[in-house]
Amino acid sequence: SGKNKKKTAWSDDGIEFFICTDPATVKHTYQFYVSPSGALWDAKRKPEISNNTYDASYETNAVVKGTVEENRWIVDIAIPFKSMGIDDASKLKGKHFIANFYRYRNQRTAGDDPQRFSCWSPTGEYLHYFPSKFGKIYFEGK
């Protein structure tokens, strides 16, 4: 079930990422964690309350596929735009989202490696939710 996957996602290596569809206000920021087993944890951030609050009952209906190979793993995720409040993706041309992506190795697989995290847009902060340091994803198209 989805709730069971939400509980198990963080117990494995994975990718944590944030997507903010409204960079001007950061009110529409979504947080995800996907593991190689295909488990998904998803939530909607609640920055209007505090920087560290979220609604974990939020469900994206994202499709996740994880593949574990001998010396690597791969995770594919497809997130419906509608689940992030976007009804017409064609209106995204020329606009941008802000986002950040973290690669996480849990204690079991990291061993003595202190570099358990890597990040697309370094924030210089311990907390990963730091929208002012997120990178930009621009939309082009017809």
Side-chain angles (χ1 to χ4, degrees):
S1 80
K3 289 185 182 199
N4 186 38
K5 284 192 172 193
K6 278 197 178 217
K7 289 180 182 176
T8 62
W10 291 93
S11 65
D12 197 359
D13 288 3
I15 302 293
E16 177 187 29
F17 59 100
F18 300 85
I19 297 174
C20 176
T21 62
D22 183 6
T25 68
V26 301
K27 286 184 180 176
H28 301 286
T29 302
Y30 304 89
Q31 181 178 355
F32 304 88
Y33 189 92
V34 292
S35 73
S37 68
L40 167 68
W41 182 92
D42 49 4
K44 183 172 182 185
R45 299 300 301 199
K46 296 172 118 182
E48 64 278 3
I49 296 172
S50 82
N51 264 355
N52 203 27
T53 59
Y54 54 84
D55 175 6
S57 68
Y58 166 78
E59 294 282 342
T60 59
N61 298 316
V63 176
V64 180
K65 179 185 176 207
T67 305
V68 179
E69 297 179 356
E70 185 176 339
N71 291 312
R72 66 181 180 167
W73 53 263
I74 302 163
V75 173
D76 291 314
I77 182 168
I79 305 165
F81 278 123
K82 286 188 187 269
S83 70
M84 294 188 293
I86 298 168
D87 293 324
D88 185 356
S90 69
K91 293 184 179 177
L92 291 173
K93 182 181 177 185
K95 296 188 178 181
H96 74 277
F97 292 168
I98 57 172
N100 213 353
F101 301 86
Y102 289 85
R103 162 66 167 92
Y104 173 72
R105 295 179 65 206
N106 88 13
Q107 294 287 67
R108 180 178 47 79
T109 59
D112 294 332
D113 184 359
Q115 290 296 107
R116 291 187 6 220
F117 295 102
S118 56
C119 182
W120 177 57
S121 181
T123 63
E125 301 292 331
Y126 176 75
L127 290 175
H128 294 179
Y129 178 69
F130 207 87
S132 66
K133 302 275 181 110
F134 286 3
K136 295 179 181 179
I137 299 173
Y138 289 91
F139 291 89
E140 295 181 2
K142 298 177 182 182

